Amino acid sequence: MDIEEIFQSLSVLVADPNLSEGKRVELLDRIKKLAAVLERPEDVLTKLAFSPSQFMTARVATELKLFDVIVRQGKVNSEELAETTGANKVLIERLLRVLTASGMVDEAGVSTYTPNKITKTLTSRTGEAMIRAFWDIKLKSMARIPEYLHHTGYKNPEDATNGPFQFAYGLKDQPFFDWLHEPKRAREHDTMHTYFEGDRGSRPDWVKWFPVEEKFFKNVKTQKDDVVMVDVAGGRGHDLDAFVRRFLDVQGRYVLQDLPMVLDDRALELHSKIEKIAMDFWKDQPVSGARIYYMKFIMHDWNDERCLQILTNVTAAMTKGYSFLVVEDFIIPDQGCPLLAALFDMQMMNALSAMERTEGQWVKLLKAAGLRVEGCYPPPGDGTGIIVAELK
């Protein structure tokens, strides 16, 4: 596609008054193609090589609360930032050069700064947690993946107890989540679970684009004692809360399940309809006969063998002809994979020796668990898709 074709397609998309999520992603893709035409290969490599410095700068700024000060003040100079944070004025200006050049902060004059929408996002709980989670926890093992793969003869990492994370941290047979949930790692635990709240980014919640009512409630009217939905290992409950608030007129119970230490977290104010039940998905599924068993970003944490252990407990609790398993995760296309999904896959390899799956891999896995896949539904953009399954 040449420059003229790209500009023509961009003008059509920009003129759309009702820009959908799919169109928004398509527009971004065209812009990237335009940048690829204009950028020289050597410049692309230079930016790639220096990109860790950009991330490092954002992490230092997070620690100094620079983003918070800039948002709070509205307009502030380097001298005022130095006085507020206790950091050296020259250092502040060096950091802000990177932040303004990368679009995280705006310049309002010489050594004077104002916030933009990215600055404000970086002051949010989930925004700050994302920076901390990836830099403080995941970067160490990511940096050693080349060494790890060389050491293993470039085998695909599949052992959650002996992967890149264990190699980097010197752990012996300890999976990532066991490490994370140690009592001495309270800060890391909070950081990761806060990040999990915002890992959807700005992409629409699945209940906003998937035909939930048509699939699950069209021919079934639940009663107040029926379990409508079980969020299996649902963390702090943000996804279940969004579901409940979207379908307030649906009668029934809503159950959030996770380990006790996660459920005891009071970070979120959940809807009163949600009840919490502690569980360990390696052992059993304590709630039987629910209409929906929902699992977001669970299966991508484990290899097929471990997934089948989890699914065995879920299927044992499902009612044939009534219950559905709903998996929200990336559905990797066989060709033309979006960058976000591909990068998520690298993070699964990094921390968990796991992977994102293609549609064929999802169908194979769920079939092995005694389930029939009703459908794999790609998202309206580059986010997570929905896989719906029921007992054979």
Side-chain angles (χ1 to χ4, degrees):
M1 184 178 288
D2 61 25
I3 292 180
E4 185 176 346
E5 288 178 311
I6 294 173
F7 272 120
Q8 287 176 348
S9 62
L10 284 175
S11 64
V12 172
L13 287 170
V14 171
D16 186 352
N18 301 307
L19 194 64
S20 64
E21 177 66 11
K23 290 291 186 182
R24 183 187 73 85
V25 173
E26 185 181 349
L27 181 59
L28 285 170
D29 184 61
R30 301 291 172 85
I31 292 171
K32 289 175 185 175
K33 284 184 170 63
L34 178 60
V37 172
L38 297 174
E39 283 191 306
R40 295 182 176 88
E42 297 85 356
D43 297 335
V44 173
L45 293 178
T46 299
K47 286 199 297 186
L48 178 64
F50 280 87
S51 60
S53 298
Q54 184 174 325
F55 193 3
M56 176 275 294
T57 305
R59 178 62 184 89
V60 174
T62 298
E63 191 68 23
L64 288 173
K65 296 293 183 181
L66 285 178
F67 300 120
D68 297 78
V69 177
I70 294 169
V71 169
R72 186 170 63 248
Q73 296 288 92
K75 185 177 181 181
V76 61
N77 60 42
S78 57
E79 187 172 338
E80 292 168 325
L81 285 170
E83 184 178 347
T84 302
T85 63
N88 179 270
K89 176 177 174 290
V90 174
L91 174 63
I92 292 289
E93 291 173 348
R94 295 176 70 186
L95 295 172
L96 264 298
R97 286 186 196 123
V98 177
L99 299 177
T100 55
S102 60
M104 286 185 259
V105 176
D106 286 345
E107 284 183 298
V110 177
S111 300
T112 306
Y113 315 98
T114 57
N116 57 34
K117 59 184 179 181
I118 300 177
T119 322
K120 294 172 184 176
T121 300
L122 285 163
T123 64
S124 68
R125 289 173 57 250
T126 55
E128 182 175 332
M130 180 179 291
I131 296 295
R132 291 181 180 276
F134 279 78
W135 186 272
D136 297 0
I137 300 172
K138 293 187 174 185
L139 190 65
K140 180 177 179 178
S141 52
M142 180 66 79
R144 295 195 66 186
I145 284 180
E147 181 185 355
Y148 167 81
L149 291 176
H150 177 78
H151 176 75
T152 61
Y154 296 94
K155 293 184 174 73
N156 185 48
E158 295 181 349
D159 185 352
T161 66
N162 187 25
F165 193 83
Q166 290 73 28
F167 180 80
Y169 279 83
L171 303 176
K172 184 178 176 62
D173 301 328
Q174 186 180 35
F176 171 76
F177 284 111
D178 287 1
W179 174 88
L180 183 67
H181 292 152
E182 288 181 342
K184 64 182 178 182
R185 306 204 186 279
R187 182 175 182 180
E188 290 90 342
H189 176 276
D190 180 67
T191 294
M192 286 303 302
H193 282 279
T194 304
Y195 158 63
F196 292 154
E197 290 177 42
D199 59 12
R200 190 185 297 279
S202 66
R203 292 154 186 84
D205 194 291
W206 74 287
V207 297
K208 294 181 179 178
W209 62 266
F210 185 81
V212 173
E213 291 175 294
E214 179 184 339
K215 289 290 181 184
F216 307 124
F217 303 128
K218 184 177 180 180
N219 300 313
V220 172
K221 187 173 180 61
T222 55
Q223 306 300 316
K224 66 176 183 177
D225 292 329
D226 296 334
V227 180
V228 177
M229 184 171 174
V230 176
D231 190 351
V232 181
R236 291 173 174 170
H238 45 284
D239 293 300
L240 182 58
D241 190 71
F243 188 97
V244 172
R245 295 179 191 279
R246 180 77 173 185
F247 301 105
L248 288 172
D249 58 337
V250 176
Q251 290 193 74
R253 297 167 55 202
Y254 296 85
V255 178
L256 173 63
Q257 297 178 331
D258 214 307
L259 296 171
M261 67 187 71
V262 179
L263 295 183
D264 289 343
D265 197 324
R266 306 296 181 186
L268 294 179
E269 188 68 35
L270 300 176
H271 194 280
S272 59
K273 281 189 174 185
I274 296 175
E275 55 188 279
K276 298 180 179 181
I277 296 180
M279 58 87 75
D280 181 344
F281 56 40
W282 300 116
K283 296 179 180 178
D284 61 5
Q285 172 47 252
V287 179
S288 299
R291 181 61 171 166
I292 301 169
Y293 291 89
Y294 170 76
M295 304 178 77
K296 179 195 171 189
F297 281 166
I298 305 301
M299 297 290 99
H300 78 172
D301 289 346
W302 309 99
N303 62 26
D304 284 3
E305 181 182 357
R306 297 289 272 166
C307 283
L308 288 173
Q309 290 181 264
I310 299 169
L311 289 169
T312 295
N313 294 326
V314 175
T315 56
M318 294 172 66
T319 299
K320 189 173 182 178
Y322 176 79
S323 299
F324 287 95
L325 172 66
V326 174
V327 175
E328 181 178 3
D329 216 314
F330 287 103
I331 305 171
I332 301 291
D334 293 324
Q335 184 177 358
C337 181
L339 181 59
L340 178 67
L343 293 177
F344 253 89
D345 185 45
M346 291 298 98
Q347 285 302 323
M348 294 307 103
M349 180 174 72
N350 175 29
L352 300 160
S353 298
M355 64 187 290
E356 304 294 350
R357 293 176 171 86
T358 65
E359 180 174 338
Q361 289 169 328
W362 279 118
V363 172
K364 181 181 178 182
L365 173 64
L366 295 173
K367 183 179 179 181
L371 292 159
R372 182 188 73 84
V373 175
E374 185 273 339
C376 293
Y377 301 88
D382 62 349
T384 50
I386 293 292
I387 303 103
V388 178
E390 56 189 344
L391 293 174
K392 292 180 182 176

